[in-house]
């Protein structure tokens, strides 16, 4: 055939065909790279062999480069979380109700006056349990919000927060001890240790606070609560396989907030049905 076409045999190649186990091997390599962030493909090859894979270094290197894996030049430091008894753990949420987290976010109404939002989330399910909006929020307001949630949901095993005065107040700590909730206070100036809540607060600011004008505090409360319900029941969450955190626990979701007119139209439609 090469003679007939006038082509040299060295120019002809068989079409490459991947091995049957290529996908499984790729997934194991990615998982090891994620688990051991400072390991290169040589160490990963050794781990694969220890786990039973019969694979050579060159094949692992080829997959490594194809997937764009690399050892970062700088590894971010991770702080540990200290419990009240002095022990130190990297406590990860294992089930809904295991670890809650709360923090404050600041917003402004149209005339420039500040208001605060107390956000409380479940770290395991990613559900936003409550968002309390007021001009000022003190330790008594934190206690009232937690008490309401504990009655409806039951108390969590742990609750995580920074060292703000509203969270470390003696009344708050004493009450949490009485109901059997362990407190997890992050290291000062280390917001990444409260990463779940920081991520949620960033989403809240990006998707709502930065794009909505609140003319009154009452309007802010209505729109923020509507966004919370949408977040829980309709908004796809990337870490949950693009499913909402709690689709079965809430009423029909309000439309996502972007313009106040969306909510006004929904309210007017409800009034028309009543009449």
């Amino acid at each position: 055939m090469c003679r007939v076409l006038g082509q040299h045999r060295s120019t002809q190649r068989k079409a490459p065909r991947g091995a049957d186990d290529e996908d499984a091997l790729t997934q194991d390599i990615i998982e090891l790279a994620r688990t051991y962030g400072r390991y290169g493909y040589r160490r990963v090859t050794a781990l694969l062999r220890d786990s039973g894979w019969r694979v050579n270094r060159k094949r692992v290197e080829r997959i490594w480069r194809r997937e764009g894996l690399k050892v970062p030049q700088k590894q971010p430091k991770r702080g540990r979380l200290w419990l009240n008894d002095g022990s130190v753990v990297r406590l990860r949420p294992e089930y809904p109700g295991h670890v809650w987290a709360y923090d404050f976010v600041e917003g402004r109404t149209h005339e420039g006056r500040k208001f605060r939002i107390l956000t409380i989330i479940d770290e395991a399910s990613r559900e936003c349990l409550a968002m309390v909006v007021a001009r000022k929020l003190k330790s008594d307001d934190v206690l009232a919000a937690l008490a309401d949630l504990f009655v409806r949901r039951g108390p969590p095993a742990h609750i995580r927060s920074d060292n703000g005065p509203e969270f470390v107040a003696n009344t708050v700590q004493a009450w949490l001890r009485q109901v059997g909730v362990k407190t997890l206070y992050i290291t000062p100036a280390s917001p990444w240790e409260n990463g779940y809540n920081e991520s949620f607060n960033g989403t809240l600011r990006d998707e709502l606070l930065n794009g909505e004008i609140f003319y009154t505090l009452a309007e802010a409360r209505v729109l923020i609560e509507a966004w919370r319900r949408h977040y829980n029941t309709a908004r796809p969450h990337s870490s949950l396989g693009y499913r909402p955190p709690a689709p079965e626990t809430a009423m029909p979701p309000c439309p996502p907030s972007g313009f106040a007119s969306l909510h006004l139209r929904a309210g007017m439609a409800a009034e028309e049905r009543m009449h």
Side-chain angles (χ1 to χ4, degrees):
M1 180 64 71
C2 289
R3 185 179 302 165
V4 172
L5 296 175
Q7 295 180 348
H8 197 276
R9 292 184 65 182
S10 63
T11 63
Q12 307 304 307
R13 296 286 188 273
K14 290 185 177 179
R17 195 178 75 184
D20 295 336
D21 60 356
E22 185 84 355
D23 290 342
L25 177 60
T26 300
Q27 292 302 315
D28 282 0
I29 291 173
I30 293 173
E31 185 60 32
L32 286 171
R34 182 183 297 115
T35 303
Y36 304 101
R38 302 301 298 169
Y39 286 8
Y41 65 86
R42 292 180 177 85
R43 290 181 186 268
V44 167
T45 302
L47 291 174
L48 289 169
R49 289 171 178 168
D50 290 343
S51 66
W53 278 100
R54 299 181 62 181
V55 63
N56 61 40
R57 177 181 58 79
K58 289 185 177 181
R59 186 182 178 194
V60 175
E61 181 183 7
R62 173 178 58 79
I63 296 174
W64 183 275
R65 297 186 185 283
R66 185 190 69 200
E67 296 298 322
L69 301 173
K70 61 181 180 179
V71 179
Q73 294 296 319
K74 284 189 175 182
Q75 184 76 355
K77 294 182 179 180
R78 297 179 294 176
R80 285 172 167 77
L81 299 174
W82 295 85
L83 298 179
N84 291 342
D85 59 4
S87 60
V88 59
V89 293
R90 293 187 191 279
L91 185 63
R92 300 177 183 274
E94 299 176 0
Y95 53 86
H98 182 210
V99 182
W100 288 5
Y102 55 178
D103 199 1
F104 288 111
V105 183
E106 189 176 275
R108 291 178 183 269
T109 46
H110 185 55
E111 75 278 14
R113 293 183 62 193
K114 294 181 181 179
F115 63 84
R116 303 182 82 190
I117 310 169
L118 173 64
T119 61
I120 308 174
I121 67 167
D122 187 306
E123 291 190 352
S125 68
R126 307 298 203 277
E127 181 183 1
C128 178
L129 305 173
M131 296 174 72
V132 182
V133 182
R135 293 292 182 188
K136 294 182 179 180
L137 289 169
K138 300 180 180 179
S139 57
D140 290 343
D141 302 305
V142 172
L143 281 176
L146 291 179
D148 179 64
L149 284 175
F150 288 5
V151 169
R152 292 189 286 113
R153 301 269 188 148
H158 304 269
I159 190 161
R160 197 189 318 267
S161 73
D162 60 25
N163 294 270
E166 301 87 357
F167 304 136
V168 300
N170 291 332
T171 53
V172 174
Q173 294 191 60
W175 184 75
L176 289 173
R177 281 196 300 270
Q178 289 177 0
V179 296
V181 178
K182 296 181 179 179
T183 53
L184 298 170
Y185 292 116
I186 68 174
T187 306
S190 302
W192 55 86
E193 292 184 5
N194 196 7
Y196 292 99
N197 207 328
E198 289 292 333
S199 176
F200 173 82
N201 291 345
T203 299
L204 168 64
R205 184 166 298 283
D206 179 61
E207 296 185 3
L208 180 67
L209 299 183
N210 287 347
E212 190 78 58
I213 296 176
F214 304 111
Y215 290 99
T216 65
L217 186 64
E219 182 182 26
R221 285 172 174 154
V222 170
L223 296 183
I224 289 170
E225 176 61 18
W227 184 88
R228 185 187 74 87
R229 294 190 181 189
H230 173 77
Y231 178 91
N232 285 339
T233 62
R235 180 186 181 277
H237 201 296
S238 57
S239 66
L240 301 176
Y242 291 93
R243 298 188 302 272
E248 72 286 352
T249 62
M251 300 165 58
C254 297
S257 181
F259 298 97
S261 58
L262 290 174
H263 307 289
L264 294 175
R265 287 172 187 159
M268 288 188 292
E271 290 180 2
E272 288 177 2
R273 286 195 297 269
M274 292 177 61
H275 295 293

